Amino acid sequence: GSLLEARALHKAYGPTPALDGADFAIRPGEVVAVMGPSGSGKSTLLHCLAGIIRPDSGTVRYGTHTLTELSDARCSALRRTDFGFVFQFGQLVPELSCLENVALPLRLNGTRRKDAERQARDWLTRLEVDGVATKRPGEISGGQGQRVAIARALAARPRVIFADEPTGALDSLNGERVMGLLTDAARDTDAAVVLVTHEARVAAYADREVVVRDGIARETAGAA
Ligand code: ADP
Ligand code: ADP
């Protein structure tokens, strides 16, 4: 069955709906690319699925929870324990070293400092950036920063990873390498990945594509 499922989502910020009856479902270990032109509602869909914004109507179910019925506090608690996030820019804490950044979600979930730092180092190694462990985010390249951000998103073993244009700031070689590392790590931990992108070469790393047009999400026919 599906791990995360949305039905009939409607959301409007103004007179024109951003989501106009969007459906979505993802199973554990599955990587789904959400595609569509700019302004079609991709980010709004992702934010509704992650419980960051509430749709005006429709439901989002995650496991046994109905996110759209939870309080903001319970929703953010669930987000912290079960979801990981990778965005295009600026998600690392600038005052912390890269190692401390990756250890942070583990510390927040109650892992002791030594264990958190050992696991963080393992994730940095896996993402091929153990060399930047002691550096701050401002001292590393865009490609390195994105790998550190992915290590941080994976460190707390989330069940769902939400990635919004995760390779948008990278050149195509780095983008493909980062996508390979992200999807391999996600599949190894049986995490689902909701990947928002407008690039076909990034979507090629997904098991399946969902296309959003004018706020309506549709499964693409015959997607691999
Ligand atoms: P995409 O991610 O596909 O570019 P978005 O979900 O960001 O699409 O946006 C869908 C529509 O909703 C667009 O018309 C956008 O301008 C509008 N929109 C998105 N976020 C907001 C907001 N916070 N306030 C007002 N309008 C918004
Ligand atoms: P990548 O391909 O991973 O983005 P770059 O080719 O941009 O890497 O950078 C190569 C090296 O230059 C990196 O190892 C990094 O240490 C250094 N570097 C790149 N950008 C910056 C930056 N903005 N500030 C400090 N160092 C940087």
Side-chain angles (χ1 to χ4, degrees):
S2 55
L3 176 65
L4 180 67
E5 192 171 336
R7 289 287 164 244
L9 297 183
H10 287 263
K11 173 72 189 177
Y13 301 98
T16 314
L19 289 179
D20 194 15
D23 296 318
F24 182 88
I26 189 167
R27 292 189 297 275
E30 199 178 21
V31 180
V32 175
V34 176
M35 301 199 69
S38 177
S40 59
K42 302 184 296 296
S43 297
T44 303
L45 175 61
L46 181 140
H47 291 145
C48 286
L49 292 171
I52 294 169
I53 60 173
R54 256 174 223 286
D56 299 328
S57 65
T59 56
V60 178
R61 185 184 59 74
Y62 164 69
T64 58
H65 307 276
T66 304
L67 292 190
T68 36
E69 288 171 4
L70 293 183
S71 67
D72 290 349
R74 289 202 54 203
C75 224
S76 50
L78 199 61
R79 241 188 347 260
R80 200 165 58 236
T81 55
D82 287 40
F83 296 168
F85 295 89
V86 184
F87 296 122
Q88 184 172 349
F89 295 114
Q91 62 261 44
L92 297 174
V93 181
E95 294 81 10
L96 299 180
S97 72
C98 289
L99 185 76
E100 288 165 337
N101 262 283
V102 177
L104 189 60
L106 292 161
R107 296 286 289 149
L108 291 175
N109 285 344
T111 307
R112 292 159 63 155
R113 180 183 300 278
K114 254 209 159 93
D115 288 336
E117 291 189 350
R118 184 179 41 74
Q119 290 178 46
R121 194 170 287 278
D122 288 347
W123 281 107
L124 288 174
T125 302
R126 166 140 207 185
L127 274 298
E128 303 172 345
V129 279
D130 42 316
V132 303
T134 60
K135 294 193 179 179
R136 292 190 181 191
E139 301 171 321
I140 63 176
S141 75
Q144 291 168 330
Q146 208 55 335
R147 287 162 196 244
V148 174
I150 290 168
R152 187 176 67 171
L154 289 160
R157 298 254 170 190
R159 304 322 306 143
V160 186
I161 295 161
F162 294 94
D164 197 349
E165 302 284 2
T167 63
L170 307 180
D171 61 62
S172 66
L173 207 65
N174 243 310
E176 301 214 6
R177 186 83 190 117
V178 162
M179 278 311 303
L181 292 167
L182 171 62
T183 52
D184 284 353
R187 287 187 176 108
D188 285 355
T189 58
D190 214 27
V193 180
V194 182
L195 167 68
V196 167
T197 183
H198 63 273
E199 291 181 82
R201 79 184 161 76
V202 172
Y205 285 84
D207 301 309
R208 192 155 63 77
E209 288 177 19
V210 166
V211 177
V212 184
R213 249 179 242 296
D214 300 328
I216 301 171
R218 287 213 174 79
E219 196 87 21
T220 53

